[in-house]
PDB file of all heavy atoms in Angstrom:
ATOM      1  N   LEU A 268      81.040  96.122  81.995  1.00  0.00           N
ATOM      2  CA  LEU A 268      81.088  95.315  80.789  1.00  0.00           C
ATOM      3  C   LEU A 268      80.043  94.210  80.831  1.00  0.00           C
ATOM      4  O   LEU A 268      80.119  93.224  80.156  1.00  0.00           O
ATOM      5  CB  LEU A 268      82.499  94.635  80.610  1.00  0.00           C
ATOM      6  CG  LEU A 268      83.705  95.537  80.676  1.00  0.00           C
ATOM      7  CD1 LEU A 268      84.973  94.797  80.491  1.00  0.00           C
ATOM      8  CD2 LEU A 268      83.611  96.563  79.491  1.00  0.00           C
ATOM      9  N   GLU A 269      79.096  94.421  81.703  1.00  0.00           N
ATOM     10  CA  GLU A 269      78.118  93.361  82.045  1.00  0.00           C
ATOM     11  C   GLU A 269      76.894  93.469  81.135  1.00  0.00           C
ATOM     12  O   GLU A 269      75.986  92.711  81.251  1.00  0.00           O
ATOM     13  CB  GLU A 269      77.664  93.467  83.536  1.00  0.00           C
ATOM     14  CG  GLU A 269      78.825  93.333  84.506  1.00  0.00           C
ATOM     15  CD  GLU A 269      79.519  91.914  84.294  1.00  0.00           C
ATOM     16  OE1 GLU A 269      78.875  90.927  84.029  1.00  0.00           O
ATOM     17  OE2 GLU A 269      80.809  91.938  84.322  1.00  0.00           O
ATOM     18  N   ASP A 270      76.821  94.607  80.368  1.00  0.00           N
ATOM     19  CA  ASP A 270      75.587  94.771  79.576  1.00  0.00           C
ATOM     20  C   ASP A 270      75.788  94.435  78.067  1.00  0.00           C
ATOM     21  O   ASP A 270      76.933  94.500  77.607  1.00  0.00           O
ATOM     22  CB  ASP A 270      75.112  96.253  79.697  1.00  0.00           C
ATOM     23  CG  ASP A 270      74.473  96.434  81.037  1.00  0.00           C
ATOM     24  OD1 ASP A 270      74.748  95.696  81.955  1.00  0.00           O
ATOM     25  OD2 ASP A 270      73.674  97.474  81.147  1.00  0.00           O
ATOM     26  N   ILE A 271      74.736  94.226  77.393  1.00  0.00           N
ATOM     27  CA  ILE A 271      74.790  94.057  75.931  1.00  0.00           C
ATOM     28  C   ILE A 271      73.716  95.065  75.368  1.00  0.00           C
ATOM     29  O   ILE A 271      72.799  95.477  76.079  1.00  0.00           O
ATOM     30  CB  ILE A 271      74.419  92.618  75.504  1.00  0.00           C
ATOM     31  CG1 ILE A 271      73.115  92.195  76.154  1.00  0.00           C
ATOM     32  CG2 ILE A 271      75.543  91.681  75.762  1.00  0.00           C
ATOM     33  CD1 ILE A 271      72.649  90.849  75.700  1.00  0.00           C
ATOM     34  N   GLN A 272      73.962  95.437  74.175  1.00  0.00           N
ATOM     35  CA  GLN A 272      73.009  96.255  73.464  1.00  0.00           C
ATOM     36  C   GLN A 272      72.172  95.478  72.492  1.00  0.00           C
ATOM     37  O   GLN A 272      72.720  94.707  71.614  1.00  0.00           O
ATOM     38  CB  GLN A 272      73.824  97.400  72.684  1.00  0.00           C
ATOM     39  CG  GLN A 272      72.928  98.373  72.030  1.00  0.00           C
ATOM     40  CD  GLN A 272      73.746  99.387  71.206  1.00  0.00           C
ATOM     41  OE1 GLN A 272      74.935  99.303  71.075  1.00  0.00           O
ATOM     42  NE2 GLN A 272      73.043 100.337  70.629  1.00  0.00           N
ATOM     43  N   VAL A 273      70.939  95.486  72.687  1.00  0.00           N
ATOM     44  CA  VAL A 273      69.980  94.724  71.811  1.00  0.00           C
ATOM     45  C   VAL A 273      69.196  95.760  70.933  1.00  0.00           C
ATOM     46  O   VAL A 273      68.767  96.759  71.431  1.00  0.00           O
ATOM     47  CB  VAL A 273      68.960  93.964  72.639  1.00  0.00           C
ATOM     48  CG1 VAL A 273      67.982  93.267  71.795  1.00  0.00           C
ATOM     49  CG2 VAL A 273      69.683  92.972  73.564  1.00  0.00           C
ATOM     50  N   THR A 274      69.117  95.490  69.653  1.00  0.00           N
ATOM     51  CA  THR A 274      68.361  96.422  68.817  1.00  0.00           C
ATOM     52  C   THR A 274      67.299  95.568  68.048  1.00  0.00           C
ATOM     53  O   THR A 274      67.506  94.527  67.395  1.00  0.00           O
ATOM     54  CB  THR A 274      69.276  97.073  67.734  1.00  0.00           C
ATOM     55  OG1 THR A 274      70.330  97.723  68.443  1.00  0.00           O
ATOM     56  CG2 THR A 274      68.482  98.102  66.927  1.00  0.00           C
ATOM     57  N   LEU A 275      66.063  96.010  68.183  1.00  0.00           N
ATOM     58  CA  LEU A 275      64.903  95.400  67.502  1.00  0.00           C
ATOM     59  C   LEU A 275      64.600  96.298  66.331  1.00  0.00           C
ATOM     60  O   LEU A 275      64.364  97.439  66.413  1.00  0.00           O
ATOM     61  CB  LEU A 275      63.735  95.322  68.419  1.00  0.00           C
ATOM     62  CG  LEU A 275      63.301  93.925  68.847  1.00  0.00           C
ATOM     63  CD1 LEU A 275      64.222  93.433  69.905  1.00  0.00           C
ATOM     64  CD2 LEU A 275      61.863  93.926  69.361  1.00  0.00           C
ATOM     65  N   LEU A 276      64.568  95.602  65.134  1.00  0.00           N
ATOM     66  CA  LEU A 276      64.332  96.405  63.905  1.00  0.00           C
ATOM     67  C   LEU A 276      62.938  96.145  63.377  1.00  0.00           C
ATOM     68  O   LEU A 276      62.514  94.937  63.442  1.00  0.00           O
ATOM     69  CB  LEU A 276      65.425  96.034  62.885  1.00  0.00           C
ATOM     70  CG  LEU A 276      66.828  96.215  63.346  1.00  0.00           C
ATOM     71  CD1 LEU A 276      67.825  95.385  62.473  1.00  0.00           C
ATOM     72  CD2 LEU A 276      67.220  97.647  63.270  1.00  0.00           C
ATOM     73  N   ASN A 277      62.369  97.143  62.823  1.00  0.00           N
ATOM     74  CA  ASN A 277      61.051  97.043  62.053  1.00  0.00           C
ATOM     75  C   ASN A 277      59.955  96.499  62.900  1.00  0.00           C
ATOM     76  O   ASN A 277      59.122  95.734  62.479  1.00  0.00           O
ATOM     77  CB  ASN A 277      61.244  96.050  60.842  1.00  0.00           C
ATOM     78  CG  ASN A 277      62.342  96.480  59.913  1.00  0.00           C
ATOM     79  OD1 ASN A 277      62.500  97.669  59.701  1.00  0.00           O
ATOM     80  ND2 ASN A 277      63.078  95.540  59.391  1.00  0.00           N
ATOM     81  N   ILE A 278      59.839  97.007  64.117  1.00  0.00           N
ATOM     82  CA  ILE A 278      58.637  96.644  64.875  1.00  0.00           C
ATOM     83  C   ILE A 278      57.515  97.647  64.547  1.00  0.00           C
ATOM     84  O   ILE A 278      57.886  98.776  64.138  1.00  0.00           O
ATOM     85  CB  ILE A 278      58.916  96.495  66.380  1.00  0.00           C
ATOM     86  CG1 ILE A 278      59.425  97.814  66.987  1.00  0.00           C
ATOM     87  CG2 ILE A 278      59.811  95.408  66.698  1.00  0.00           C
ATOM     88  CD1 ILE A 278      59.592  97.841  68.512  1.00  0.00           C
ATOM     89  N   PRO A 279      56.277  97.322  64.703  1.00  0.00           N
ATOM     90  CA  PRO A 279      55.205  98.318  64.350  1.00  0.00           C
ATOM     91  C   PRO A 279      55.428  99.530  65.178  1.00  0.00           C
ATOM     92  O   PRO A 279      55.642  99.495  66.373  1.00  0.00           O
ATOM     93  CB  PRO A 279      53.961  97.522  64.743  1.00  0.00           C
ATOM     94  CG  PRO A 279      54.294  96.091  64.783  1.00  0.00           C
ATOM     95  CD  PRO A 279      55.776  96.036  65.178  1.00  0.00           C
ATOM     96  N   SER A 280      55.233 100.686  64.518  1.00  0.00           N
ATOM     97  CA  SER A 280      55.429 101.949  65.105  1.00  0.00           C
ATOM     98  C   SER A 280      54.248 102.394  65.977  1.00  0.00           C
ATOM     99  O   SER A 280      53.412 103.178  65.496  1.00  0.00           O
ATOM    100  CB  SER A 280      55.723 102.979  64.050  1.00  0.00           C
ATOM    101  OG  SER A 280      55.693 104.289  64.667  1.00  0.00           O
ATOM    102  N   ALA A 281      54.102 101.806  67.127  1.00  0.00           N
ATOM    103  CA  ALA A 281      53.042 102.193  67.948  1.00  0.00           C
ATOM    104  C   ALA A 281      53.476 102.044  69.432  1.00  0.00           C
ATOM    105  O   ALA A 281      54.376 101.241  69.718  1.00  0.00           O
ATOM    106  CB  ALA A 281      51.850 101.155  67.768  1.00  0.00           C
ATOM    107  N   ILE A 282      52.827 102.803  70.305  1.00  0.00           N
ATOM    108  CA  ILE A 282      53.248 102.779  71.720  1.00  0.00           C
ATOM    109  C   ILE A 282      53.006 101.350  72.309  1.00  0.00           C
ATOM    110  O   ILE A 282      53.716 100.919  73.154  1.00  0.00           O
ATOM    111  CB  ILE A 282      52.484 103.881  72.508  1.00  0.00           C
ATOM    112  CG1 ILE A 282      53.123 104.123  73.833  1.00  0.00           C
ATOM    113  CG2 ILE A 282      51.020 103.516  72.672  1.00  0.00           C
ATOM    114  CD1 ILE A 282      54.384 104.945  73.702  1.00  0.00           C
ATOM    115  N   SER A 283      52.003 100.657  71.679  1.00  0.00           N
ATOM    116  CA  SER A 283      51.702  99.290  72.221  1.00  0.00           C
ATOM    117  C   SER A 283      52.941  98.352  71.927  1.00  0.00           C
ATOM    118  O   SER A 283      53.106  97.378  72.690  1.00  0.00           O
ATOM    119  CB  SER A 283      50.478  98.747  71.552  1.00  0.00           C
ATOM    120  OG  SER A 283      50.661  98.800  70.092  1.00  0.00           O
ATOM    121  N   SER A 284      53.758  98.621  70.967  1.00  0.00           N
ATOM    122  CA  SER A 284      54.914  97.811  70.695  1.00  0.00           C
ATOM    123  C   SER A 284      55.904  97.991  71.852  1.00  0.00           C
ATOM    124  O   SER A 284      56.497  96.981  72.341  1.00  0.00           O
ATOM    125  CB  SER A 284      55.587  98.251  69.397  1.00  0.00           C
ATOM    126  OG  SER A 284      54.863  97.971  68.327  1.00  0.00           O
ATOM    127  N   LEU A 285      56.072  99.263  72.285  1.00  0.00           N
ATOM    128  CA  LEU A 285      57.020  99.461  73.364  1.00  0.00           C
ATOM    129  C   LEU A 285      56.474  98.769  74.672  1.00  0.00           C
ATOM    130  O   LEU A 285      57.236  98.246  75.441  1.00  0.00           O
ATOM    131  CB  LEU A 285      57.170 100.934  73.622  1.00  0.00           C
ATOM    132  CG  LEU A 285      57.824 101.693  72.440  1.00  0.00           C
ATOM    133  CD1 LEU A 285      57.897 103.178  72.848  1.00  0.00           C
ATOM    134  CD2 LEU A 285      59.241 101.250  72.214  1.00  0.00           C
ATOM    135  N   HIS A 286      55.212  98.873  74.817  1.00  0.00           N
ATOM    136  CA  HIS A 286      54.565  98.285  76.032  1.00  0.00           C
ATOM    137  C   HIS A 286      54.749  96.778  75.972  1.00  0.00           C
ATOM    138  O   HIS A 286      55.094  96.159  76.951  1.00  0.00           O
ATOM    139  CB  HIS A 286      53.111  98.662  76.025  1.00  0.00           C
ATOM    140  CG  HIS A 286      52.390  98.087  77.244  1.00  0.00           C
ATOM    141  ND1 HIS A 286      51.393  97.218  77.145  1.00  0.00           N
ATOM    142  CD2 HIS A 286      52.685  98.186  78.589  1.00  0.00           C
ATOM    143  CE1 HIS A 286      51.059  96.821  78.398  1.00  0.00           C
ATOM    144  NE2 HIS A 286      51.765  97.382  79.313  1.00  0.00           N
ATOM    145  N   ARG A 287      54.561  96.199  74.835  1.00  0.00           N
ATOM    146  CA  ARG A 287      54.688  94.738  74.670  1.00  0.00           C
ATOM    147  C   ARG A 287      56.164  94.294  75.071  1.00  0.00           C
ATOM    148  O   ARG A 287      56.332  93.390  75.845  1.00  0.00           O
ATOM    149  CB  ARG A 287      54.359  94.362  73.232  1.00  0.00           C
ATOM    150  CG  ARG A 287      54.695  92.880  72.974  1.00  0.00           C
ATOM    151  CD  ARG A 287      54.400  92.469  71.501  1.00  0.00           C
ATOM    152  NE  ARG A 287      54.731  91.074  71.414  1.00  0.00           N
ATOM    153  CZ  ARG A 287      54.357  90.252  70.484  1.00  0.00           C
ATOM    154  NH1 ARG A 287      53.481  90.708  69.612  1.00  0.00           N
ATOM    155  NH2 ARG A 287      54.766  89.083  70.434  1.00  0.00           N
ATOM    156  N   LEU A 288      57.081  95.010  74.413  1.00  0.00           N
ATOM    157  CA  LEU A 288      58.519  94.651  74.678  1.00  0.00           C
ATOM    158  C   LEU A 288      58.922  94.894  76.139  1.00  0.00           C
ATOM    159  O   LEU A 288      59.385  93.909  76.757  1.00  0.00           O
ATOM    160  CB  LEU A 288      59.398  95.467  73.661  1.00  0.00           C
ATOM    161  CG  LEU A 288      60.870  95.350  73.900  1.00  0.00           C
ATOM    162  CD1 LEU A 288      61.279  93.938  73.529  1.00  0.00           C
ATOM    163  CD2 LEU A 288      61.574  96.402  72.905  1.00  0.00           C
ATOM    164  N   PHE A 289      58.787  96.088  76.570  1.00  0.00           N
ATOM    165  CA  PHE A 289      59.309  96.360  77.888  1.00  0.00           C
ATOM    166  C   PHE A 289      58.441  95.814  79.035  1.00  0.00           C
ATOM    167  O   PHE A 289      58.935  95.485  80.061  1.00  0.00           O
ATOM    168  CB  PHE A 289      59.585  97.884  78.083  1.00  0.00           C
ATOM    169  CG  PHE A 289      60.616  98.407  77.105  1.00  0.00           C
ATOM    170  CD1 PHE A 289      60.326  99.110  76.042  1.00  0.00           C
ATOM    171  CD2 PHE A 289      61.930  97.913  77.265  1.00  0.00           C
ATOM    172  CE1 PHE A 289      61.302  99.625  75.138  1.00  0.00           C
ATOM    173  CE2 PHE A 289      62.921  98.266  76.329  1.00  0.00           C
ATOM    174  CZ  PHE A 289      62.613  99.165  75.276  1.00  0.00           C
ATOM    175  N   GLY A 290      57.166  95.550  78.700  1.00  0.00           N
ATOM    176  CA  GLY A 290      56.265  94.881  79.652  1.00  0.00           C
ATOM    177  C   GLY A 290      56.794  93.453  79.839  1.00  0.00           C
ATOM    178  O   GLY A 290      56.875  92.981  81.028  1.00  0.00           O
ATOM    179  N   ALA A 291      57.040  92.763  78.760  1.00  0.00           N
ATOM    180  CA  ALA A 291      57.507  91.362  78.843  1.00  0.00           C
ATOM    181  C   ALA A 291      58.855  91.267  79.588  1.00  0.00           C
ATOM    182  O   ALA A 291      59.030  90.370  80.382  1.00  0.00           O
ATOM    183  CB  ALA A 291      57.579  90.797  77.473  1.00  0.00           C
ATOM    184  N   LEU A 292      59.804  92.212  79.256  1.00  0.00           N
ATOM    185  CA  LEU A 292      61.083  92.165  79.930  1.00  0.00           C
ATOM    186  C   LEU A 292      60.909  92.477  81.443  1.00  0.00           C
ATOM    187  O   LEU A 292      61.524  91.819  82.247  1.00  0.00           O
ATOM    188  CB  LEU A 292      61.990  93.248  79.322  1.00  0.00           C
ATOM    189  CG  LEU A 292      62.479  92.916  77.884  1.00  0.00           C
ATOM    190  CD1 LEU A 292      63.044  94.100  77.187  1.00  0.00           C
ATOM    191  CD2 LEU A 292      63.536  91.799  77.858  1.00  0.00           C
ATOM    192  N   ALA A 293      60.030  93.417  81.757  1.00  0.00           N
ATOM    193  CA  ALA A 293      59.850  93.736  83.170  1.00  0.00           C
ATOM    194  C   ALA A 293      59.234  92.523  83.913  1.00  0.00           C
ATOM    195  O   ALA A 293      59.686  92.126  85.044  1.00  0.00           O
ATOM    196  CB  ALA A 293      58.900  94.898  83.326  1.00  0.00           C
ATOM    197  N   GLU A 294      58.300  91.842  83.247  1.00  0.00           N
ATOM    198  CA  GLU A 294      57.644  90.736  83.886  1.00  0.00           C
ATOM    199  C   GLU A 294      58.690  89.630  84.215  1.00  0.00           C
ATOM    200  O   GLU A 294      58.635  88.915  85.185  1.00  0.00           O
ATOM    201  CB  GLU A 294      56.610  90.197  82.955  1.00  0.00           C
ATOM    202  CG  GLU A 294      55.478  89.500  83.777  1.00  0.00           C
ATOM    203  CD  GLU A 294      54.234  89.437  82.810  1.00  0.00           C
ATOM    204  OE1 GLU A 294      53.602  90.454  82.454  1.00  0.00           O
ATOM    205  OE2 GLU A 294      53.941  88.364  82.375  1.00  0.00           O
ATOM    206  N   ALA A 295      59.634  89.521  83.295  1.00  0.00           N
ATOM    207  CA  ALA A 295      60.661  88.497  83.456  1.00  0.00           C
ATOM    208  C   ALA A 295      61.801  89.031  84.314  1.00  0.00           C
ATOM    209  O   ALA A 295      62.863  88.365  84.509  1.00  0.00           O
ATOM    210  CB  ALA A 295      61.221  88.048  82.090  1.00  0.00           C
ATOM    211  N   GLU A 296      61.612  90.149  85.022  1.00  0.00           N
ATOM    212  CA  GLU A 296      62.582  90.793  85.889  1.00  0.00           C
ATOM    213  C   GLU A 296      63.898  91.109  85.240  1.00  0.00           C
ATOM    214  O   GLU A 296      64.948  91.004  85.822  1.00  0.00           O
ATOM    215  CB  GLU A 296      62.806  89.852  87.103  1.00  0.00           C
ATOM    216  CG  GLU A 296      61.615  89.600  87.899  1.00  0.00           C
ATOM    217  CD  GLU A 296      61.712  89.912  89.426  1.00  0.00           C
ATOM    218  OE1 GLU A 296      62.802  90.231  89.825  1.00  0.00           O
ATOM    219  OE2 GLU A 296      60.672  89.885  90.107  1.00  0.00           O
ATOM    220  N   VAL A 297      63.854  91.423  83.964  1.00  0.00           N
ATOM    221  CA  VAL A 297      65.062  91.865  83.216  1.00  0.00           C
ATOM    222  C   VAL A 297      65.220  93.319  83.431  1.00  0.00           C
ATOM    223  O   VAL A 297      64.249  94.134  83.221  1.00  0.00           O
ATOM    224  CB  VAL A 297      65.043  91.555  81.729  1.00  0.00           C
ATOM    225  CG1 VAL A 297      66.245  92.065  81.053  1.00  0.00           C
ATOM    226  CG2 VAL A 297      64.908  90.092  81.521  1.00  0.00           C
TER     227      VAL A 297
END
Side-chain angles (χ1 to χ4, degrees):
L268 303 180
E269 300 304 317
D270 285 21
I271 51 175
Q272 183 183 5
V273 176
T274 306
L275 246 77
L276 303 160
N277 304 322
I278 58 173
S280 167
I282 197 78
S283 57
S284 294
L285 296 177
H286 180 241
R287 171 180 179 161
L288 174 63
F289 295 111
L292 289 166
E294 209 162 291
E296 301 231 355
V297 175

